[in-house]
Amino acid sequence: MLPLLAAAELQDHLMTVTNDLERLQRLLDDAGEALSGHFYSASSQVQTLLRQAAENPGTDSGALHHVMEDIAGAITALQFQDMATQLIAHTSQRLRNCADQLARDTFGDDEDGEAVVEIAPLRPNPVTQDEMDAGSIELF
């Protein structure tokens, strides 16, 4: 069994890491929302330009098609940002569960009643992909 001071220190470290992951989660969410808005706006503008080019025979729309491919690649990257977000949330939940169990096992219940332990995720990992490969793009 861990000495009381060591257990308290370990619990403090676990909670600090959990808070850092939650802050990282918010930063990723904000960046993802901003990027998504810009990509959809750019995509809409390029679609308009492609329609205009189709109405004017002889207009080279190859560059616009290339831009659309770049936007599609960026949207794929946003999907991986979403998977990273899921993994951070999963990891935070596991860390909080460890901190809660440590506190309960070390300090026991208090005058307010039984110590509350956040439930650990049932699945070991919500994300199995670990690299960005080319593939189909599903807009979210």
Side-chain angles (χ1 to χ4, degrees), residues 70-133:
D70 288 342
I71 290 172
I75 291 171
T76 299
L78 279 173
Q79 290 175 316
F80 280 86
Q81 176 268 336
D82 181 57
M83 287 189 283
T85 295
Q86 292 176 45
L87 188 54
I88 289 170
H90 177 84
T91 302
S92 291
Q93 194 175 10
R94 282 203 171 284
L95 286 171
R96 186 163 306 271
N97 175 265
C98 290
D100 291 349
Q101 283 185 32
L102 179 63
R104 182 194 59 207
D105 295 347
T106 303
F107 306 113
D109 299 330
D110 59 17
E111 64 274 357
D112 293 334
E114 189 176 328
V116 176
V117 175
E118 186 170 319
I119 298 170
L122 298 176
R123 295 185 331 189
N125 184 347
V127 178
T128 57
Q129 187 108 10
D130 60 1
E131 62 183 59
M132 291 191 340
D133 288 330

Side-chain angles (χ1 to χ4, degrees), residues 34-51 64 67-72 74-75:
L35 285 170
S36 182
H38 290 296
F39 290 131
Y40 283 116
S41 175
S43 176
S44 176
Q45 291 175 27
V46 171
Q47 291 291 347
T48 299
L49 292 172
L50 282 169
R51 280 192 297 277
L64 292 175
V67 171
M68 286 303 293
E69 289 174 7
D70 288 342
I71 290 172
I75 291 171

